[in-house]
């Protein structure tokens, strides 16, 4: 595989890094991580470590949904997943790798997807194909103040605006940078780092179960420089260039399963940040400037190169010991994004029947709850306030947050900016947390509302709408090492300004018992009438049909311990799960309603 890096663009990134460092007084808060850098993995111990995770499950029948019509059968299937990780650590040297095996018993083998996805014509979706791959391999070696990295690494620059790859929330594809990196740190006050390689995505999309026959392989080059001034200030700069594997001159082939809307888009980003910590005050600001191609299928709009900008700032304050009876905290955040391509190198991908992105290279701060649907992530401006008062005598915390956002129009499927009308949103949230005197119980209640308005609504959407939501979480200790936990959430959607379905309810309810440190039992009941028509049908599992298409009961039994292993955990889950549009970091995907069961085991040797 060859990756091209035009010298003019590389020179642009290098010069921009140096110029931004002098002009803006910013700081690049970033470094790469190999998988064993996470202490939660248990990889920090000397010697050899073997970790194996095995999952087996079955998905029942959810009817002939819109996704099934577009991409082929997505139910009545089994799956077997095994991830074997081996790591060796000796002094300052680390080496490891993950071998992944995917098998789909009792499932369709190959499905021919229909034509018509513009501008794509003939695409075969390789679903439910057995796959064995070396998903991750990494090496790290520390020499005094220097660190050398080879293989797969997670890399996040600053807040993730300029670039971010790594482990994602369930439902999104884990992606790494496979290549090499070098970091030089001088007494914790100076960092100079460079990384280069190609993007490496997990082989199976967890939503569509499509197998990626060829990696994205997009070329990436990144430079970071930062310096610590005294104890209070950090400044620096960064630059990133992404060269897509596929460009305008290459045909769209069946192996490009992640790509739907045309050729790849070149990204060149330069920016930096400034951070100040002084007593109970913390200030952070980050700015990024981006140049990108803008692929369009509209003949009368031949614009090829565009620029974008993204700025994020935050100011926080804590009262500390200045008040005897109360503790105060305040955080202010603001964003300004102007035509910043946040969806990734490709306009969109096979993330579901609505073609959302499943592989992304950015994590944009949104200032929104994670479940809020956003249609113009890279073209928005607004602010958020978080304030809390903690009463020490009663162990009570009152929190109030509110954001005001303006969405200025996103990118349509044809590459056009301002494809959606401008939308103004307001979303306040009140939370009250009360803990028991002995800290053996707690109760948290939340209530919030959202209002959206568009002066000129997008065709098919409404002018204004609202949403309200509430929730409660509680726990109580029933024995020395046992707890009972309760959670309940209810949302009423009447929006329709950025969501087509403007009238539905969503509720998640759960009850769990943690019995000593080892056993966990839980039951859940979900409700959702978000999906309509063919997407909402009675679910079937093992010949049993659910009595209602909007209720989703479930349960789980879990065990964790050690015994003969360094660590061991097992879980059995079964029942139904609500679908709908779910969002993380402003990137949304549509999940079908489903019923099934899962057995998972993970252990370390």
């Amino acid at each position: 595989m060859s990756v091209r890096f035009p010298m003019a663009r590389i020179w642009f990134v290098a010069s921009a890094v140096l110029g931004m460092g002098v002009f803006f007084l910013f700081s690049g808060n970033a470094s790469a991580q190999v998988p064993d850098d996470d202490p939660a993995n248990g990889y920090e111990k000397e010697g050899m470590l073997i970790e194996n995770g095995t999952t087996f499950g079955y998905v029942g029948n959810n009817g002939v949904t819109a996704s099934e019509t577009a991409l082929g059968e997505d139910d009545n299937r089994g799956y077997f997943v095994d991830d074997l990780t081996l790591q060796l650590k000796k002094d300052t040297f680390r080496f490891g790798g993950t071998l992944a095996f995917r098998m789909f018993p009792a499932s369709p083998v190959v499905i021919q997807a229909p034509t018509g996805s513009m501008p794509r014509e003939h695409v075969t979706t390789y679903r439910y194909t057995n796959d064995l791959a070396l998903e991750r391999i990494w090496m790290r070696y520390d020499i005094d103040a220097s660190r050398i990295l080879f293989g797969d690494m997670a890399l996040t620059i600053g807040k993730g605006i300029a670039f971010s790859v790594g482990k994602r929330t369930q439902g999104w594809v884990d992606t790494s940078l496979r290549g090499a990196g070098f970091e030089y740190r001088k007494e914790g006050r100076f960092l100079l780092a460079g990384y280069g390689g190609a993007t490496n995505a997990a082989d199976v999309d967890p939503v569509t179960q499509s197998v990626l026959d060829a990696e994205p392989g997009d070329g990436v080059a990144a430079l970071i420089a930062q310096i610590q001034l005294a104890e209070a200030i950090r400044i620096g700069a960064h630059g990133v260039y992404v060269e897509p594997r596929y460009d305008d001159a290459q045909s769209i082939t069946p192996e490009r399963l992640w790509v739907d809307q045309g050729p790849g888009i070149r990204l060149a980003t330069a920016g930096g940040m400034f951070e100040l910590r002084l007593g109970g005050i913390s200030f952070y600001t980050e700015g990024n400037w981006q140049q990108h191609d803008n692929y369009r299928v509209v003949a009368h709009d031949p614009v090829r190169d565009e620029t974008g900008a993204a700025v994020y700032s935050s100011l926080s304050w804590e009262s500390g010991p200045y008040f005897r009876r109360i503790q105060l905290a305040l955080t202010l955040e603001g964003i300004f994004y102007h035509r910043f391509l946040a969806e990734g190198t490709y306009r969109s991908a096979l993330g579901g029947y609505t073609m959302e992105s499943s592989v992304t290279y950015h994590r944009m701060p949104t200032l929104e709850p994670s479940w809020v649907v956003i249609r113009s992530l890279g073209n928005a401006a607004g602010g958020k306030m978080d304030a809390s008062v903690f009463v020490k005598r009663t162990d009570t915390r009152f929190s109030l947050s509110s954001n005001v956002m303006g969405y200025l129009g996103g990118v349509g499927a044809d590459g056009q900016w301002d494809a959606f009308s401008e939308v103004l949103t307001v979303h306040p949230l009140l939370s009250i947390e009360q803990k028991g005197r002995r800290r053996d119980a707690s109760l948290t209640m939340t209530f919030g509302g959202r209002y959206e308005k568009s002066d000129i609504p997008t065709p098919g959407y409404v002018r204004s709408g609202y949403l309200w939501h509430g929730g409660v979480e509680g726990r109580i200790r029933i024995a020395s090492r046992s707890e009972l936990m309760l959670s309940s959430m209810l949302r009423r959607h009447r929006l329709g300004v950025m969501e087509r379905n403007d009238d539905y309810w969503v509720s998640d309810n759960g009850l769990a018992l943690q019995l000593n440190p080892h056993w966990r039992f839980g039951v859940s009941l979900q409700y959702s009438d978000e999906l309509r028509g063919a997407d909402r049908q009675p679910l079937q599992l093992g010949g049993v049909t659910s009595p209602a298409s909007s209720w989703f009961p479930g349960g789980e039994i879990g065990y964790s311990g050690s015994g003969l292993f360094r660590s061991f955990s097992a879980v059995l889950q079964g029942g139904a799960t609500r679908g709908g549009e779910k969002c993380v970091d402003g990137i949304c995907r549509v999940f079908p309603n489903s019923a099934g069961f899962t057995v998972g085991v993970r252990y370390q040797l």
Side-chain angles (χ1 to χ4, degrees):
M1 179 183 67
S2 62
V3 179
R4 298 181 291 110
F5 296 91
M7 290 305 298
R9 295 179 182 270
I10 294 179
W11 174 250
F12 154 76
V13 173
S15 61
V17 167
L18 298 177
M20 294 287 281
V22 174
F23 185 76
F24 283 106
L25 294 180
F26 285 156
S27 163
N29 179 24
S31 61
Q33 289 187 329
V34 295
D36 62 338
D37 280 334
D38 185 356
N41 291 333
Y43 296 162
E44 72 280 1
K45 298 180 180 179
E46 289 280 330
M48 180 179 294
L49 181 141
I50 299 175
E51 180 177 23
N52 191 77
T54 302
T55 302
F56 171 77
Y58 187 82
V59 177
N61 188 0
N62 60 4
V64 183
T65 63
S67 173
E68 190 165 303
T69 301
L71 300 176
E73 188 175 350
D74 60 358
D75 51 11
N76 295 314
R77 58 182 174 85
Y79 58 91
F80 176 85
V81 178
D82 188 84
D83 294 319
L84 176 63
T85 299
L86 172 67
Q87 183 203 267
L88 176 65
K89 179 181 178 182
K90 180 63 175 177
D91 298 328
T92 60
F93 175 79
R94 300 185 185 187
F95 174 80
T98 298
L99 185 66
F101 176 60
R102 308 286 188 269
M103 184 172 66
F104 303 94
S107 298
V109 179
V110 178
I111 297 172
Q112 179 70 33
T115 62
S117 295
M118 184 178 65
R120 182 185 203 178
E121 293 181 354
H122 301 288
V123 178
T124 300
T125 302
Y126 295 89
R127 278 183 162 187
Y128 319 130
T129 303
N130 299 339
D131 180 69
L132 176 65
L134 184 63
E135 289 279 24
R136 299 289 183 264
I137 185 169
W138 67 88
M139 187 198 78
R140 196 184 87 184
Y141 185 55
D142 296 334
I143 311 173
D144 297 327
S146 302
R147 172 173 294 178
I148 301 173
L149 304 103
F150 289 102
D152 291 286
M153 64 192 83
L155 176 61
T156 295
I157 298 178
K159 292 293 183 179
I161 300 174
F163 188 79
S164 178
V165 292
K167 190 170 181 61
R168 300 294 194 186
T169 304
Q170 184 178 5
W172 278 254
V173 176
D174 294 342
T175 308
S176 68
L177 177 62
R178 176 170 288 184
F182 175 80
E183 299 174 358
Y184 176 77
R185 302 174 185 269
K186 181 66 174 179
E187 298 176 353
R189 294 186 175 275
F190 177 76
L191 169 66
L192 180 64
Y195 311 93
T199 53
N200 174 35
D203 281 3
V204 178
D205 177 12
V207 177
T208 66
Q209 299 301 327
S210 300
V211 174
L212 179 62
D213 205 36
E215 299 295 346
D218 301 320
V220 177
L223 298 173
I224 302 169
Q226 67 177 13
I227 187 170
Q228 182 95 21
L229 300 179
E231 297 296 330
I233 299 175
R234 287 192 305 147
I235 60 175
H238 57 256
V240 184
Y241 176 71
V242 180
E243 174 75 11
R245 179 180 179 184
Y246 300 96
D247 59 23
D248 293 2
Q250 294 172 306
S251 62
I252 301 175
T253 63
E255 67 181 9
R256 295 178 60 187
L257 295 182
W258 305 114
V259 185
D260 178 66
Q261 299 292 348
I265 300 167
R266 297 175 180 86
L267 304 175
T269 306
M273 56 183 277
F274 170 83
E275 186 174 18
L276 171 67
R277 295 181 179 271
L278 191 61
I281 300 176
S282 299
F283 175 72
Y284 178 98
T285 186
E286 177 180 338
N288 291 274
W289 183 84
Q290 182 189 78
Q291 181 184 17
H292 56 257
D293 297 341
N294 191 10
Y295 172 78
R296 286 180 168 86
V297 297
V298 182
H300 67 269
D301 194 358
V303 177
R304 302 299 300 174
D305 295 318
E306 291 185 337
T307 60
V311 178
Y312 168 84
S313 297
S314 67
L315 175 65
S316 61
W317 169 78
E318 293 184 356
S319 61
Y322 297 109
F323 298 93
R324 295 180 55 186
R325 299 183 179 181
I326 62 173
Q327 184 175 349
L328 306 177
L330 176 66
T331 299
L332 303 175
E333 296 178 281
I335 61 173
F336 174 77
Y337 303 152
H338 178 67
R339 295 192 171 185
F340 195 91
L341 193 64
E343 288 81 359
T345 303
Y346 299 104
R347 189 64 69 193
S348 64
L350 277 179
Y353 62 86
T354 55
M355 307 300 178
E356 309 86 356
S357 298
S358 56
V359 176
T360 61
Y361 301 151
H362 307 274
R363 282 189 173 181
M364 309 283 288
T366 66
L367 311 187
E368 296 273 23
S370 61
W371 44 267
V372 170
V373 174
I374 300 173
R375 294 300 184 206
S376 57
L377 179 60
N379 215 19
K384 181 182 180 182
M385 178 202 71
D386 287 292
S388 68
V389 178
F390 177 65
V391 182
K392 300 179 181 180
R393 181 179 177 181
T394 61
D395 251 354
T396 308
R397 184 182 301 276
F398 301 90
S399 301
L400 174 65
S401 69
S402 181
N403 65 23
V404 178
M405 299 293 301
Y407 294 99
L408 311 178
V411 184
D414 59 0
Q416 295 272 22
W417 281 100
D418 305 324
F420 299 91
S421 300
E422 296 183 7
V423 178
L424 173 68
T425 71
V426 180
H427 195 150
L429 175 66
L430 175 65
S431 173
I432 303 175
E433 179 185 7
Q434 178 65 61
K435 294 183 178 179
R437 293 184 178 181
R438 299 179 181 178
R439 299 293 179 97
D440 56 356
S442 66
L443 180 66
T444 302
M445 296 179 293
T446 60
F447 183 79
R450 182 180 182 85
Y451 177 75
E452 297 181 352
K453 181 180 180 182
S454 176
D455 291 335
I456 306 176
T458 302
Y461 296 75
V462 300
R463 182 179 298 273
S464 64
Y466 69 89
L467 171 151
W468 62 261
H469 58 96
V472 59
E473 293 184 1
R475 69 168 186 86
I476 184 171
R477 186 180 302 167
I478 57 177
S480 59
R481 295 187 295 177
S482 300
E483 287 186 340
L484 185 66
M485 293 159 283
L486 168 71
S487 64
S488 181
M489 178 277 293
L490 178 65
R491 293 202 308 261
R492 172 58 164 160
H493 289 249
R494 291 296 302 272
L495 293 171
V497 181
M498 291 192 289
E499 296 182 70
R500 284 190 181 275
N501 187 1
D502 63 343
D503 188 357
Y504 62 92
W505 294 83
V506 172
S507 181
D508 292 336
N509 308 279
L511 180 65
L513 172 64
Q514 182 70 46
L515 192 61
N516 63 52
H518 302 299
W519 288 96
R520 178 185 175 92
F521 304 89
V523 293
S524 63
L525 180 62
Q526 300 177 328
Y527 176 87
S528 174
D529 57 356
E530 176 182 358
L531 298 180
R532 304 292 175 88
D535 290 331
R536 192 175 75 186
Q537 303 181 38
L539 303 175
Q540 296 180 351
L541 180 63
V544 179
T545 302
S546 63
S549 58
S550 299
W551 292 94
F552 308 92
E556 70 169 13
I557 301 175
Y559 175 84
S560 61
S562 54
L564 301 176
F565 306 92
R566 288 189 181 183
S567 66
F568 176 87
S569 63
V571 63
L572 168 63
Q573 297 174 319
T577 303
R578 67 175 178 87
E581 192 164 18
K582 301 180 182 180
C583 306
V584 174
D585 300 323
I587 304 297
C588 303
R589 304 188 67 184
V590 175
F591 293 72
N593 296 331
S594 64
F597 69 87
T598 299
V599 179
V601 176
R602 181 170 294 274
Y603 59 86
Q604 289 184 354
L605 296 173

